[in-house]
Every structure is written in C-alpha cells, then in structure tokens.
Amino acid sequence: MEKKTFYLTTPIYYPSDKLHIGHAYTTVAADALARFKRHQGYDVMFLTGSDEHGQKIERVARQHGVSPQEYVDRIVDGFRHLWQTLDISYDDFIRTTDERHMKAVQQIFQRLYDKGDIYKAEYSGWYCVPCETHWTERQAGEEHVCPDCGRPVELVKEESYFFRLSKYADRWLKFIEENPDFIQPASRRNEMISFVKQGLEDLSVSRTTFDWGIPVPFDPGHVIYVWIDALSNYITVLGYGSEDESKFRHYWPADLHLVGKEIVRFHTVIWPMMLMALDIPLPKKVFGHGWLILDSGKMSKSKGNVVDPLVLVEKYGVDAIRYFLLREIAFGADGLYSEEALIKRINSDLANDLGNLLYRTLTMMGKYYQGQVPAPGKEEDLDRDLKRVAAEAGDKAEAAMERLEISVALEFIWELVKRANKYIDEAAPWTLVKNGESERLATVMYNLAEVLRILAVMLVPYLTHASQAIWEQLGLPGKAADQGWAARKWGLLSPGVQTRRGAPLFPRIEVDKEEKKTVSESVTPKEASEKISIDQFSQVELRVAEVLVAERVEKSRKLLRLEVAIGEERRQILAGIAKSYQPEMLVGKKIVVVANLKPAKLMGMESNGMLLAASIPGEGEEENISVLTVDRDIASGARVR
Ligand code: MSP
C-alpha cells in the first residue's frame, strides 16, 4: 500500500542576520514533528530554506560592502551548517535565488496577471523594510512606525502592480468558517477573522526603486514583492509551474505550515488568497507558534540580546538544546529563555531522570547478569502497573503530537521515565539478589531494559542522539529511528541481548561560580542559645553533594567508596553504609556531607568528608541506616543550614 504523505514546512529564513536560538525554535519544533510522522510511517516531505530577496537584504549587503548574491551565499552556508548541527532532517532546502524557484514565481505572477487578479496602479503609502510590509497612513499612525515591530516606516510612492486581495475576502471567510482548524491556535484564527472583516485593501506586489528581486516577467523594471516571492516557495519546491509537477501532485496540499506568530497574517490571509486565485487547494493547517523571549524582550539583533545556538550546542550538546526548546515552552505560547532554565532542565529531566535510569539499570545488569538481559518470569502487580504506564505514555504522547502539543508529549514520556525510576526503588533488585529471589530479579531487570528500549523508540523525534545511544547501550542492532513508532509495544525485547553500559548520557552541569556564591554565602551568627551557639554550628560546613560514582570497597563489608560532586569540586568519601545500600541505589542522589572535616584514612584510602545518615539510636544496626537526601533539585554545593 502506498504510504500516506505528510508535507510540513518551516518559514524560509531571511539571511539578513545570523540565526539565533529563537529561529532555531521553529525549525527544531518542525523537525520533531517531521521525525514523528516518519516514525508513524508517513511519506514525509519536510521543507526549509532561505528567503533571499528584498530591500532589507539589499541594504544589509551594501552595508557589508558586497553584492547581495555574495552576501546571501555566505549566510546561507551558515544556515545549512546550523541545521546540520541541530540535526534538522529536512528533505529539501529551497533558496529563493534558485533558478527553479525564480522561474516558477514568474509563472505564478504571469498567471495571476492573465487572470486579471493583478493590475497596475500607483502605490502611495508606508513601508517597513525590516518586516517587508506595507502600511496605510492610518496603520502607521502619527508617529509613522510599524504596527508590528515598532520601527520607523518609510514613505513609498511609486508605480506598482496590485493583487486583488479584496476580491477574495468573502471566499476566505467562508473557507475559514468551513475549516475551523485551518488556523491554529484558535486565538490567532479569531485575530485573522477580525482583520479580514475590517476590510482589505489590494496588495502592492511589485517595487521599482531597487532591483534585488525576481523581475516581473512582462515589465522588468519591476521586481516582485518579496512576500509573494517567498510564500510561493511552498509550491515551487515541488515543481509547480515547471515541466515536472509530479512532486506537486504527490505532496500538495501541505499538511502543515509552521510559522511564528508575527507572520501568521501572511500565511493565513495573503497565501490562501493567492492560492484561491491560482485555483490551487489550500494547505490543511497553519500553526502560529509563540516566541522565545529573554528577560529583555524578544530576541533580536537590534536589541543586542541574541543567543547563538551554535555556542549553546557546543556547551550543552544538541539533545539538551532540542529538549529544552521542545519541553520548556507550551507550543503556541511565548516562553522565556534563560541559561539557568536550560541547565535546570538538563540536570533534572535529562541527567537525573533519564540518564540515571539508563545508568542504574545497566550497572545492575552488568553486575547481576554480566550485562545479558534475562528472560522475565511471572508478572506481579508492580510490573503490570509499569506496563500500563508505558502503554499510556505512548498513547498520550501520540495524541498530543497529533494536536501539535509537543511539550505535552514529552511530559507524558517523562511520566514513564519517572515511573521506571520509582519501579527500581520499589522492586529493589539489590534486595532480591540478597534474598536469592532469582526469578523475580530476572523479571524486574527484563522490565527495566524493556522500558529503556521503549523509551529509545519514543524519544526518536526529540533526542536524536540519546535515543540511539540508549538503543546501542542496550546492545540492539540497527537504528532506533528505523524501528517505527509501533515498536513501542511492550515485549519486543528478546532476552539474551548483551547490554553495554556506556558513559552517562547527560553529564550534570554545575552552575557557575557567581551563582554558587549566592547559594553558599555564610550564615550570620544569631544569638547564643543554651546548647551550642549558631556560631559553633556554622563552623560545620554542611553541603549538598551529588553522588557520581558508588562502589564497594574490596575486602570491606561495611564500606562504600563514593565519588561526589560538591559544586565543581570532586571528592572521594568513604561511608560505612554497605550493609544498607547497594552502590547503584546512590548514584545520582543528592546527599548531605560535612565538607570541612579533616581527611581521614580508611582501609588505606582517603575519605575527604562525611555523609549524613540517620540511624535508630540504641539499635545501632547498619540495616536501619538512612542516608539524608534532598528532595528538590538543588545544585550540588548548596550550603545546608
Ligand atoms: N522570511 C520570513 C518568512 C517567509 S516564509 C514564506 C521570515 N523570516 S525570519 O528569518 O525573520 O523568521 C523565520 C522564523 O523564525 C519565523 O517563524 C519567526 O517567527 C521565527 N522566529 C524569529 N525569532 C523568534 C523568536 N525569538 N522566537 C521564536 N521564533 C522566532 O519571517
């Protein structure tokens, strides 16, 4: 059977500037959707590209002292590099300076003209060059600024061709009424309806005062308005208006145009009206997502607050950046970007939840089964609950992706990650080992490996590296991305596969010194009490430490050797808790240590600090020891007082 098609586009980007993390947001979101659809088995066409003509680019090139063509060539290479770095799996990259595009746009213009939908007149009005948008006297207001971006507009008075937008208003309103899902989210649809109901003026679609654009075929003194040129990319890339329209017939109408909210008007009013005039079916959906904003407002070059995605990827890795963009911001709404929020997500969701689940599981698999996944035995309620959560996480994530709620899909997947971590604590494999419950141990360990396999499959659209790394550490052949979404079904893991624990998926990020200072500043001594003074107490430096490594000490029944991180410092601590704790129970935990204790030697090894643990007084039995942990995600190094 022929696969169903799914045609998905991002806007094509202006090469007027370096792309920042806000731009990457649209493309990463589109990439996750494209990968998800491929995973589901669709024949996906995922398009991105560059929007290279217009007055804005011409001016920027001039400022750089190069020709527009030289300028755009250089920048567009940078785009491709960035998309490659972010693992953007586009199927085609269109440049509006491509011969294939320019010829087809001329065809489109000609068709509209032949139909009588384009006519020549005089344009007199205001123009915003950064937005490449026309505004009327009323819209520009007394201050003559762009209603969209607030920058000054320029007066334009020239001969121009016009497109009869006004002719299509009624047909458009009827279409929107019959296709309520066309513009999403719904709030943007309502905005557009009132915009069109206010009355539309015909649109000026050619310029004569500069020449960096596609010439009007029948009047070469004019260049085609850059938005008419740019919007056409969605069909020219498929060969519309060329000798070979087979791709156009195959993929059109587009299933989804993904755009930022400030360009929804172009995509939901002008573009559909162009298509109506050309007698081409309209795309199925336009989704206007929100902006990524910094505390200082929307990211933009003129505000000087841009964040370079290449620098972030270099620092934190592709998966972390993709995850943050997809998870942190409810798709459709605006979201705040801060490096602090990014680090928080990495440490809690990726390092702590997902990374530790893999690390703990494979450590135990190595220890109990030399890495080989055992065959499961009888199922208990606990196992059934884990299976239920796994199935539900997949169902719910799939439904959320269909609704384009990417962050919600990730939330559902994390419900499984968290459930599996809890399952380890509840099933306590180390106790099963101790009690010789081998069948139960095998079931638990199989289930954990199976959850990880399912997670690798489910994470394919979002974490392009980690999903494959989990797959490989589980010892599975081929690519997680080739398994298909249906491979999330429980029970497809064959016992006997040889797992190989690798490096932790996501090393924890420690906050920088500046931040640490605020969490570690010392307490002001208070009044004396009857027992010890606060001064005396504050001489004991208690700190939160993260356990990075935990292992038994050879020839000792009591001691565990821990490597902990206290802020940026790494230390070795020996603790007499081996009878109560399996080493793998502690890895990733945030514990409390006395940091200013004089180092001591135990079994010939240095212990640099002491961890805090509760034990029941009087009984003194090591089995009743409980190591103190912190129950929130707080940076290691934080002072405890
Ligand atoms: N060239 C036009 C699109 C033409 S489509 C036929 C354009 N280009 S752009 O480079 O300015 O923007 C490309 C995309 O990046 C848009 O979807 C825009 O909304 C998005 N973003 C730019 N800054 C952004 C944020 N700070 N946050 C989220 N998305 C942002 O518009």
Side-chain angles (χ1 to χ4, degrees):
M1 206 178 72
E2 213 174 290
K3 283 183 177 178
K4 272 172 73 179
T5 59
F6 194 87
Y7 179 27
L8 163 67
T9 68
T10 71
I12 48 173
Y13 288 74
Y14 288 130
S16 54
D17 216 338
K18 243 181 118 169
L19 295 184
H20 55 65
I21 190 73
H23 294 114
Y25 177 63
T26 313
T27 320
V28 167
D31 183 69
L33 291 166
R35 286 176 187 269
F36 179 73
K37 285 287 159 191
R38 285 193 203 104
H39 217 29
Q40 281 185 317
Y42 283 79
D43 167 2
V44 172
M45 165 73 184
F46 171 27
L47 169 68
T48 191
S50 51
D51 183 1
E52 305 182 17
H53 291 126
Q55 201 169 4
K56 171 160 71 168
I57 309 288
E58 196 190 60
R59 281 190 189 170
V60 179
R62 208 181 307 134
Q63 282 161 15
H64 283 77
V66 292
S67 73
Q69 189 66 54
E70 276 174 279
Y71 179 76
V72 293
D73 285 349
R74 207 169 56 209
I75 304 266
V76 170
D77 281 347
F79 284 10
R80 290 188 205 266
H81 173 63
L82 173 63
W83 299 150
Q84 200 181 356
T85 309
L86 284 168
D87 260 342
I88 305 302
S89 59
Y90 59 78
D91 296 293
D92 205 340
F93 186 102
I94 189 142
R95 297 184 57 172
T96 53
T97 51
D98 284 348
E99 187 65 24
R100 56 174 174 164
H101 173 77
M102 305 225 294
K103 274 169 81 179
V105 169
Q106 287 188 321
Q107 282 270 346
I108 290 170
F109 206 86
Q110 184 77 51
R111 277 179 204 180
L112 294 174
Y113 182 70
D114 293 346
K115 240 192 115 179
D117 277 336
I118 280 181
Y119 62 92
K120 196 160 158 179
E122 172 89 4
Y123 178 75
S124 166
W126 298 89
Y127 195 75
C128 173
V129 176
C131 295
E132 300 280 16
T133 308
H134 302 273
W135 299 108
T136 60
E137 182 71 36
R138 185 177 51 81
Q139 288 166 323
E142 268 175 26
E143 298 193 317
H144 297 131
V145 292
C146 171
D148 274 358
C149 73
R151 282 175 281 208
V153 287
E154 297 175 17
L155 189 61
V156 174
K157 200 167 163 33
E158 60 188 340
E159 185 187 77
S160 174
Y161 285 94
F162 284 82
F163 172 56
R164 292 187 202 282
L165 271 193
S166 51
K167 177 176 159 189
Y168 291 96
D170 289 342
R171 205 169 135 190
W172 184 91
L173 283 166
K174 187 160 172 279
F175 174 83
I176 297 295
E177 205 177 297
E178 286 165 3
N179 296 276
D181 290 341
F182 175 69
I183 306 175
Q184 286 198 350
S187 54
R188 307 212 203 285
R189 177 180 63 229
N190 298 336
E191 260 174 56
M192 290 304 113
I193 293 174
S194 37
F195 173 75
V196 171
K197 281 190 173 162
Q198 269 168 28
L200 294 176
E201 292 188 12
D202 288 349
L203 179 70
S204 160
V205 289
S206 74
R207 301 286 310 270
T208 54
T209 44
F210 66 94
D211 57 13
W212 180 237
I214 303 176
V216 169
F218 45 86
D219 195 349
H222 287 247
V223 292
I224 295 172
Y225 174 41
V226 62
W227 270 100
I228 296 289
D229 168 351
L231 288 162
S232 304
N233 91 91
Y234 301 129
I235 52 175
T236 63
V237 74
L238 300 177
Y240 176 81
S242 76
E243 278 124 52
D244 180 5
E245 292 196 333
S246 55
K247 266 195 168 177
F248 175 68
R249 283 191 298 275
H250 188 63
Y251 287 112
W252 192 261
D255 293 271
L256 178 62
H257 290 316
L258 202 62
V259 302
K261 62 179 179 183
E262 81 286 14
I263 54 174
V264 165
R265 187 158 42 87
F266 295 96
H267 284 84
T268 59
V269 180
I270 297 177
W271 177 228
M273 291 187 183
M274 279 172 69
L275 292 168
M276 284 174 182
L278 290 165
D279 283 321
I280 296 176
L282 304 200
K284 292 181 196 152
K285 196 174 285 183
V286 177
F287 186 94
H289 66 70
W291 285 337
L292 198 61
I293 27 195
L294 300 184
D295 294 347
S296 48
K298 190 193 172 204
M299 230 176 272
S300 81
K301 177 84 181 298
S302 56
K303 288 211 172 95
N305 62 356
V306 291
V307 178
D308 185 344
L310 287 174
V311 173
L312 289 183
V313 168
E314 176 77 20
K315 220 162 145 188
Y316 300 111
V318 190
D319 277 346
I321 303 308
R322 287 177 64 104
Y323 181 78
F324 175 79
L325 293 175
L326 298 170
R327 175 70 185 78
E328 186 76 7
I329 303 144
F331 203 50
D334 287 348
L336 273 185
Y337 166 84
S338 74
E339 199 155 347
E340 207 184 334
L342 168 65
I343 292 174
K344 221 167 142 204
R345 280 281 170 208
I346 297 175
N347 283 349
S348 68
D349 301 12
L350 298 177
N352 228 28
D353 296 345
L354 181 64
N356 272 345
L357 175 64
L358 178 72
Y359 195 82
R360 289 168 92 189
T361 302
L362 295 190
T363 301
M364 291 188 281
M365 198 69 86
K367 238 163 100 180
Y368 308 149
Y369 295 102
Q370 288 81 48
Q372 225 175 37
V373 177
K378 249 196 353 265
E379 231 174 50
E380 294 187 359
D381 280 349
L382 191 63
D383 312 320
R384 279 188 279 276
D385 188 55
L386 182 67
K387 274 166 86 166
R388 178 187 60 77
V389 175
E392 276 180 18
D395 293 346
K396 289 185 190 164
E398 184 170 13
M401 287 303 271
E402 301 292 358
R403 297 192 304 269
L404 306 179
E405 293 176 1
I406 307 178
S407 66
V408 176
L410 281 169
E411 266 177 60
F412 287 131
I413 297 176
W414 250 253
E415 279 181 10
L416 175 58
V417 176
K418 291 194 168 128
R419 182 69 195 86
N421 271 318
K422 207 163 144 237
Y423 177 87
I424 299 186
D425 295 333
E426 288 167 350
W430 43 89
T431 310
L432 303 173
V433 175
K434 207 160 93 186
N435 299 342
E437 295 176 58
S438 56
E439 183 186 332
R440 182 76 200 126
L441 180 69
T443 309
V444 169
M445 291 311 298
Y446 174 87
N447 288 350
L448 284 169
E450 178 58 346
V451 164
L452 283 162
R453 187 195 63 81
I454 290 170
L455 283 170
V457 169
M458 296 208 295
L459 288 171
V460 158
Y462 320 95
L463 304 181
T464 51
H465 291 237
S467 56
Q468 184 57 23
I470 297 174
W471 194 256
E472 283 168 16
Q473 291 197 27
L474 285 172
L476 297 166
K479 299 255 172 266
D482 294 340
Q483 307 308 311
W485 178 247
R488 71 187 174 90
K489 205 176 124 224
W490 188 277
L492 300 181
L493 179 69
S494 322
V497 290
Q498 182 63 44
T499 63
R500 286 182 290 264
R501 194 189 73 190
L505 283 185
F506 297 99
R508 282 186 67 85
I509 313 289
E510 294 304 338
V511 280
D512 69 23
K513 295 222 163 54
E514 243 357 86
E515 277 167 279
K516 239 171 45 195
K517 243 198 279 160
T518 54
V519 288
S520 61
E521 79 204 292
S522 63
V523 269
T524 339
K526 295 232 173 75
E527 274 174 41
S529 72
E530 310 134 48
K531 294 178 182 166
I532 61 162
S533 71
I534 192 99
D535 248 356
Q536 284 168 307
F537 172 70
S538 67
Q539 285 172 12
V540 183
E541 193 188 322
L542 298 176
R543 300 240 177 223
V544 171
E546 185 187 353
V547 180
L548 304 173
V549 175
E551 57 192 24
R552 289 189 174 280
V553 172
E554 232 181 281
K555 299 204 188 90
S556 167
R557 288 173 48 230
K558 275 174 66 179
L559 282 185
L560 286 187
R561 188 186 78 84
L562 307 182
E563 276 174 40
V564 301
I566 306 176
E568 275 166 16
E569 197 192 334
R570 299 274 179 280
R571 288 202 195 180
Q572 169 169 290
I573 291 181
L574 300 171
I577 53 173
K579 288 192 179 166
S580 315
Y581 284 88
Q582 295 293 327
E584 51 275 17
M585 294 162 73
L586 292 167
V587 175
K589 290 250 149 80
K590 296 268 181 69
I591 61 171
V592 179
V593 300
V594 182
N596 61 342
L597 202 64
K598 284 195 185 126
K601 277 222 159 148
L602 296 167
M603 307 274 298
M605 286 190 288
E606 188 176 277
S607 178
N608 196 357
M610 180 179 95
L611 60 74
L612 295 191
S615 61
I616 297 175
E619 289 181 19
E621 274 298 304
E622 275 120 333
E623 276 72 17
N624 286 326
I625 286 179
S626 173
V627 171
L628 258 63
T629 55
V630 288
D631 67 355
R632 294 234 171 125
D633 186 37
I634 190 160
S636 77
R639 182 95 195 234
V640 178
R641 50 198 176 195

